[in-house]
């Protein structure tokens, strides 16, 4: 296998770096971590869309560039390394677009994909419920089927971007009488539809990027259905592989790690062989994790759907991100606990913020326990 990037790919990386060096949104962010979760900037998404870097792998007739998944990985890697505010288009680019390409109607593809690629549309993902998280098939939100559409009742929770998104990609039960995994469908619901209310949830950092979403007799037409009625659960499985396998699972706190390593050198910590050994181990693990994510992109580029490979990459990389949050705090010393806004806080309190946010890395998008089950059964062939 040839691991070298082509000259076009190297050129693409240079272009993205040059674009980011000039873009005002990068320096405007108060902290560069978690750009795909807390960096909401529709203007930036539109500028990226103008460059053609959203929906990069999609057919040109839907606004894409028909480039490879490796090319997409190069773009997303540069964006997150720089701390770019990519949240407003992240879900659309990463999973809703691919889900529509795989299962959407012609009308949905023609109407929505070009707008996603232009950076104009934002989505939230309504899967989890108060009593259905890891076990998605336990979901209770109902979408009753009528001749002309659906009426939805229920509650979603932890819905990232719910207070801001244009559409909710909703997973709901359309046949209450069938087996748990059947009778589930995917719907696209405009967030402005009457009957939807959002209650923001404050996380430990004090931010409210997610929330509870309540559906009280929300009416949507038949055209809101993605793919086949009652086959949603099986359609979603592929989407989850896209959701889990990206470089955001490694680079969420990369800017903090880069700055903490610089401080470790400046403060002479790297002269201590024991500490240098620890840093080196993390650095090696970081490059191994990056290799896993490049492998997943290579599989996608070869037309394969990575499943346990995505689970391995996410489990390994998100655990490492948590370790990095702790090590960065250790490098900064006791003052690392000072929050943003405190004048004494090193790196503007980013280490404290990251320590508080880091537990989410191994939960969002499926917990590491669940992913280990996937690795065991589908990767290693162990019994269920
Ligand atoms: C920051 C953040 C953003 C999120 N954004 C979204 C979003 O946009 N949309 C959305 O739909 N959801 C979102 N979620 C929800 C997330 O997907 C769920 O929290 C996650 O799937 C776990 O579900 P749960 O919280 O209900 O925990 P539970 O499923 O109740 O699990 C509790 C614990 O039990 C363990 N466990 C459960 N079942 C098993 C099993 N079979 N084997 C071994 N261990 C098991 C889990 O690993 C976990 O440790 C987000 C969560 C976070 C933290």
């Amino acid at each position: 296998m040839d691991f070298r990037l082509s000259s076009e790919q190297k050129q693409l990386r240079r272009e993205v770096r040059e674009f980011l060096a000039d873009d005002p949104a990068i320096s405007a962010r108060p902290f560069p971590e978690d750009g795909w979760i807390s960096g909401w900037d529709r203007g930036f998404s539109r500028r990226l869309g103008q460059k053609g870097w959203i929906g990069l792998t999609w057919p040109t007739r839907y606004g894409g560039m028909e480039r490879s998944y490796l090319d997409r990985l190069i773009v997303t890697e540069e964006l997150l390394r720089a701390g770019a505010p990519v949240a407003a288009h992240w879900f659309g680019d990463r999973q809703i677009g691919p889900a529509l390409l795989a299962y959407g109607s012609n009308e949905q593809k023609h109407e929505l994909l070009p707008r996603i690629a232009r950076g104009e549309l934002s989505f939230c993902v309504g899967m989890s419920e108060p009593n259905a998280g890891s076990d998605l098939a336990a979901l209770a939100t109902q979408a009753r089927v009528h001749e002309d559409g659906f009426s939805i009742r229920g509650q979603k929770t932890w819905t990232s971007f719910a207070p801001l998104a244009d559409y909710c990609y909703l997973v709901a039960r359309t046949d209450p009488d069938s087996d748990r995994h059947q009778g589930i469908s995917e719907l696209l619901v405009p967030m402005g539809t009457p009957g939807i209310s959002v209650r923001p949830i404050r996380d430990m950092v004090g931010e409210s990027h997610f929330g509870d979403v309540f559906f009280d007799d929300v009416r949507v037409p038949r055209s809101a259905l993605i793919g086949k009625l009652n086959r949603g659960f099986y359609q979603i499985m592929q989407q989850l592989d896209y959701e889990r396998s990206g470089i955001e699972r490694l680079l969420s706190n990369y800017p903090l790690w880069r700055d903490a390593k610089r401080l470790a050198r400046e403060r002479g910590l790297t002269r201590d062989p024991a500490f240098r050994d620890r840093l080196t181990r993390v650095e090696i693990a970081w490059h191994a994790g990056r290799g896993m994510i490049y492998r997943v992109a290579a599989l996608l580029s070869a037309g394969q759907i990575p499943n346990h490979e995505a689970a391995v990459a996410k489990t390994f990389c998100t655990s490492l991100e948590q370790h990095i949050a702790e090590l960065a705090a250790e490098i900064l010393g006791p003052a690392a606990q000072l929050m943003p806004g405190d004048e004494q806080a090193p790196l503007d309190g980013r280490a404290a913020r990251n320590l508080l946010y880091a537990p989410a890395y191994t939960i969002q998008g499926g917990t590491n326990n669940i992913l280990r089950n996937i690795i065991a059964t589908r990767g290693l062939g162990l019994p269920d």
Side-chain angles (χ1 to χ4, degrees):
M1 184 161 176
D2 187 353
F3 289 99
R4 282 170 301 188
L5 297 180
S6 67
S7 54
E8 289 82 23
Q9 287 168 332
K10 288 181 188 157
Q11 173 61 21
L12 176 63
R13 197 186 284 285
R14 273 195 297 275
E15 265 179 55
V16 181
R17 282 188 183 169
E18 281 163 21
F19 167 82
L20 292 170
D22 288 341
D23 196 279
I26 307 296
S27 52
R29 289 199 67 206
F31 52 87
E33 287 75 38
D34 303 310
W36 64 282
I37 301 158
S38 348
W40 187 273
D41 185 334
R42 285 184 187 259
F44 180 79
S45 294
R46 286 208 171 88
R47 291 197 287 283
L48 215 58
Q50 279 163 12
K51 297 294 292 181
W53 291 336
I54 303 175
L56 198 66
T57 60
W58 307 348
T60 47
R61 67 181 179 284
Y62 300 132
M65 302 282 268
E66 295 188 14
R67 294 190 67 151
S68 72
Y69 282 92
L70 270 176
D71 292 355
R72 180 178 182 273
L73 175 50
I74 289 167
V75 173
T76 50
E77 183 172 27
E78 290 308 318
L79 290 169
L80 297 178
R81 269 176 189 262
V86 292
H89 67 268
W90 200 255
F91 285 0
D93 181 42
R94 178 180 74 181
Q95 65 205 88
I96 308 301
L100 289 176
L101 275 173
Y103 301 107
S105 63
N106 274 336
E107 191 190 343
Q108 286 168 337
K109 287 183 198 167
H110 281 289
E111 194 190 314
L112 298 174
L113 290 173
R115 294 179 65 199
I116 300 174
R118 289 199 297 269
E120 291 172 6
L121 279 190
S122 298
F123 295 82
C124 59
V125 172
M127 291 195 196
S128 304
E129 297 184 1
N131 294 310
S134 304
D135 184 11
L136 183 64
L139 65 85
T141 295
Q142 286 223 8
R144 286 171 74 93
V145 187
H146 303 289
E147 222 164 76
D148 56 344
F150 304 87
S151 57
I152 306 160
R153 277 186 195 279
Q155 182 193 347
K156 294 291 169 179
T157 191
W158 313 123
T159 315
S160 300
F161 314 136
L164 301 162
D166 302 305
Y167 281 90
C168 179
Y169 158 89
L170 180 76
V171 185
R173 195 163 288 289
T174 35
D175 180 359
D177 299 324
S178 66
D179 168 76
R180 273 164 35 92
H181 294 89
Q182 290 163 18
I184 290 175
S185 303
E186 300 172 280
L187 301 169
L188 270 183
V189 182
M191 286 301 280
T193 315
I196 297 182
S197 52
V198 176
R199 185 172 64 193
I201 302 173
R202 244 169 118 78
D203 64 15
M204 286 201 289
V205 181
E207 294 166 10
S208 302
H209 87 276
F210 53 17
D212 289 310
V213 187
F214 300 91
F215 297 84
D216 185 9
D217 196 20
V218 173
R219 303 278 173 147
V220 289
R222 193 79 186 188
S223 58
L225 178 70
I226 304 175
K228 292 204 171 108
L229 189 69
N230 297 330
R231 298 295 298 166
F233 191 83
Y234 306 98
Q235 296 177 188
I236 295 161
M237 290 302 110
Q238 186 176 342
Q239 194 196 131
L240 288 176
D241 294 331
Y242 286 111
E243 179 178 343
R244 289 169 176 162
S245 55
I247 193 92
E248 67 272 31
R249 305 301 178 179
L250 178 69
L251 294 185
S252 297
N253 57 6
Y254 174 83
L256 174 68
W257 179 227
R258 181 194 53 210
D259 293 345
K261 280 189 294 185
R262 177 177 48 76
L263 281 183
R265 279 193 299 275
E266 285 171 15
R267 294 177 177 185
L269 292 173
T270 47
R271 284 199 293 276
D272 172 358
F275 199 76
R276 201 164 60 227
D277 180 60
R278 288 177 60 203
L279 282 185
T280 308
R281 282 170 194 270
V282 172
E283 201 62 17
I284 291 169
W286 190 89
H287 282 280
R290 183 171 178 257
M292 289 175 195
I293 289 167
Y294 266 81
R295 176 171 177 241
V296 167
L299 288 173
L300 283 166
S301 293
Q304 295 177 38
I305 301 293
N307 175 252
H308 60 270
E309 296 89 346
V312 169
K314 182 174 183 289
T315 310
F316 184 86
C317 293
T318 55
S319 304
L320 185 65
E321 285 179 323
Q322 287 178 344
H323 185 53
I324 283 175
E326 286 163 14
L327 196 53
E330 196 181 326
I331 289 170
L332 299 187
Q337 294 178 39
L338 300 175
M339 286 295 283
D342 190 316
E343 277 180 13
Q344 313 280 320
L347 296 180
D348 300 323
R350 285 161 47 205
R353 185 200 163 277
N354 196 235
L355 269 183
L356 291 179
Y357 193 80
Y361 294 148
T362 53
I363 301 173
Q364 55 196 7
T367 69
N368 278 9
N369 292 338
I370 296 300
L371 298 177
R372 285 192 190 98
N373 288 346
I374 292 175
I375 297 165
T377 51
R378 287 182 232 160
L380 299 172
L382 298 176
D384 257 329

